[in-house]
Amino acid sequence: MVRIVAAGVALLGALNILRLIVQTALTFSGDEWSTGSRTVFLVLNAIPFALSVFLLPLAFQLVRGRMWAWVTALVLVSLATLIGSFALLVSFSLDGFPFLGLAMFVLPLAVLLGLVVPREVRAYFTARPAPAAYSGYPAPGPWGPPHR
């Protein structure tokens, strides 16, 4: 189950990268943008692009069972769900089928539920490793007390 959720996190990152590339290409296909507007658009899209690229190695760390990766994924996927809900509301207000808004909300919500709901996923990240056996100090040997 953890691998499925990690694959969902990676898919979320890859689809968001693809969305940003297509959105940027479609936005700059017209000539109505000034140089300053293009720069601001690119700078503002660099932040979600960097976060989306970060989701790919984060998915690998989820498979390895890193607690920090689970917490980071919870925060980033929660933010993606929130942004997706706003995109869904905006797409409902426009004419036509709200496919992009629906996809931007449903996929992060499914990944978020996959990170939180299944008991085996939560146990995978919250289980503590067994403590190391206490080794005697000093180690038994010819300099230690005699064994009986």
Side-chain angles (χ1 to χ4, degrees), residues 101-121:
L102 193 62
M104 286 178 67
F105 175 69
V106 171
L107 182 63
L109 182 64
V111 172
L112 182 63
L113 291 175
L115 282 167
V116 175
V117 173
R119 184 175 309 199
E120 61 267 15
V121 173

Side-chain angles (χ1 to χ4, degrees), residues 72-129:
T72 305
L74 283 174
V75 170
L76 291 178
V77 173
S78 297
L79 288 174
T81 305
L82 182 66
I83 291 169
S85 66
F86 289 132
L88 183 61
L89 289 174
V90 168
S91 65
F92 275 139
S93 67
L94 301 174
D95 292 336
F97 184 71
F99 178 72
L100 184 60
L102 193 62
M104 286 178 67
F105 175 69
V106 171
L107 182 63
L109 182 64
V111 172
L112 182 63
L113 291 175
L115 282 167
V116 175
V117 173
R119 184 175 309 199
E120 61 267 15
V121 173
R122 289 191 320 263
Y124 185 74
F125 293 106
T126 58
R128 300 283 180 224

Side-chain angles (χ1 to χ4, degrees), residues 133-147:
Y134 176 77
S135 62
Y137 183 76
W143 51 84
H147 296 280

